[in-house]
Amino acid sequence: MRFSIWNSTKFCTFVFEMKDKKYDRSRYYLYIDECGDHQLENFNPNFPIFTLCGFLVSGDKLEWLEDSVNSFKREFFNDEGVIIHSRDIRKQEKVYSILQYPEVRKRFYEGINNILGKSDTYVIVSCSILKEPFVEKFNRGEDVYGLSLKYLIERAIFCVDDNVEDGQLDIFIERRGVKQDRALLSYYNRLRATGTKWITAERLVSRIGRFVFSYKRDNIIGLQLADLVAYPITRHVLDPKASNPAYDVISDKIYTFKGAVLGMKVIPH
């Protein structure tokens, strides 16, 4: 599998070997995907939101998740190479045309829910931008992706520090394009230099290991699960009272600390 990874001054490409993986309880993985687009001009009034969603999993839980998802893929497609993609599932397109059959669809969603509903397996951190009030309060020049990334990294570090001492966090982000990826990398480098309101630069740098851009075709299970949870979270932010069975499955996975929900940020609030 070929990725681009953060390197102090530039992008570099390397081969990441997935065989003979050694999972470490003190290492955490944050997989980040988005729902909606980051445009603040001429946005779709029927979907006036951008969500960046992080799927956080410890090394000792990652193996179970990957094995479970691959088993699920073999059951329905006889192919671990199939990419789980929320939009295609909802539209019942491409390989997901099998979901047009009610019995298959029922078993498929039961399988997904059995994986995502397993307690103490992963944690969700998310940030949603409500575009219309955001533009009114701020301006259209804001980098909503970068702003959301800052929140996700900050809360992921909080969560890691709640669980282990000196934990390491590897971050995986799906590629969007050369220009967008370079802009995001620049934003990340500024975070490393300045920190955030609640996380010092020293603490941030000491916690984060790799910062990796990958392609959808790289078949990263964590990124596919981040894609699955991003949409129901976004729908919940837009209309908390609407029926949302997928959100009900994952709602207790949102990061909380001492009863306070810290893993779902909505801007402006």
Side-chain angles (χ1 to χ4, degrees):
M1 295 184 181
R2 194 169 295 274
F3 305 105
S4 290
I5 187 171
W6 172 84
N7 182 287
S8 59
T9 57
K10 61 182 180 179
F11 282 109
C12 64
T13 300
F14 77 113
V15 175
F16 181 56
E17 184 59 57
M18 296 296 287
K19 296 178 182 178
D20 301 324
K21 293 172 289 189
K22 292 184 179 179
Y23 295 94
D24 183 351
R25 181 179 177 275
S26 64
R27 184 168 291 277
Y28 281 71
Y29 302 85
L30 179 65
Y31 301 96
I32 296 176
D33 203 0
E34 63 193 89
C35 182
D37 63 70
H38 63 282
Q39 299 296 327
L40 293 177
E41 294 185 8
N42 302 317
F43 55 82
N44 181 357
N46 295 318
F47 204 74
I49 190 171
F50 169 81
T51 295
L52 199 64
C53 187
F55 188 97
L56 179 66
V57 56
S58 62
D60 61 334
K61 301 293 178 59
L62 181 59
E63 184 173 16
W64 181 87
L65 278 168
E66 292 182 334
D67 289 346
S68 297
V69 172
N70 283 327
S71 176
F72 174 83
K73 290 181 179 182
R74 291 194 302 270
E75 177 184 353
F76 286 92
F77 308 107
N78 196 32
D79 182 5
E80 292 182 7
V82 169
I83 304 299
I84 294 179
H85 191 206
S86 176
R87 183 188 181 280
D88 292 342
I89 292 172
R90 297 194 305 274
K91 300 291 184 181
Q92 299 178 1
E93 294 178 347
K94 302 177 182 177
V95 296
Y96 298 101
S97 62
I98 62 171
L99 299 181
Q100 296 173 19
Y101 301 99
E103 179 56 34
V104 175
R105 185 167 64 248
K106 179 175 181 293
R107 289 192 299 108
F108 183 91
Y109 281 112
E110 286 176 348
I112 290 289
N113 290 343
N114 286 339
I115 295 172
L116 291 179
K118 187 172 176 61
S119 62
D120 300 326
T121 306
Y122 64 94
V123 175
I124 294 171
V125 288
S126 71
C127 182
S128 296
I129 307 291
L130 298 173
K131 294 183 178 181
E132 187 172 356
F134 184 88
V135 169
E136 291 177 355
K137 187 172 183 178
F138 304 106
N139 61 70
R140 292 183 172 85
E142 290 284 341
D143 181 354
V144 297
Y145 202 112
L147 179 63
S148 302
L149 177 71
K150 177 175 70 174
Y151 178 83
L152 264 59
I153 289 177
E154 182 181 86
R155 298 310 162 101
I157 291 176
F158 287 166
C159 186
V160 170
D161 286 353
D162 288 345
N163 288 279
V164 295
E165 291 185 10
D166 300 322
Q168 286 289 298
L169 179 66
D170 288 344
I171 301 174
F172 290 79
I173 300 178
E174 187 171 303
R175 280 184 170 278
R176 297 180 298 152
V178 174
K179 182 179 179 180
Q180 295 94 328
D181 293 345
R182 288 191 180 277
L184 188 61
L185 181 62
S186 177
Y187 193 97
Y188 169 68
N189 283 332
R190 291 198 299 273
L191 284 180
R192 287 176 61 88
T194 64
T196 74
K197 181 178 180 180
W198 305 109
I199 301 284
T200 65
E202 181 182 20
R203 182 180 173 191
L204 189 149
V205 171
S206 70
R207 291 295 183 270
I208 298 178
R210 293 176 295 168
F211 188 81
V212 181
F213 292 90
S214 66
Y215 293 98
K216 188 176 292 293
R217 64 176 179 267
D218 291 327
N219 196 10
I220 307 299
I221 298 300
L223 286 176
Q224 294 167 60
L225 295 175
D227 173 72
L228 278 181
V229 301
Y231 183 76
I233 285 177
T234 303
R235 296 304 317 183
H236 175 78
V237 172
L238 281 175
D239 189 354
K241 296 182 179 180
S243 175
N244 194 340
Y247 177 80
D248 295 338
V249 171
I250 64 174
S251 61
D252 64 342
K253 309 303 189 297
I254 298 168
Y255 173 48
T256 61
F257 182 70
K258 295 183 177 180
V261 177
L262 302 180
M264 181 181 286
K265 178 73 171 178
V266 179
I267 304 176
H269 62 280

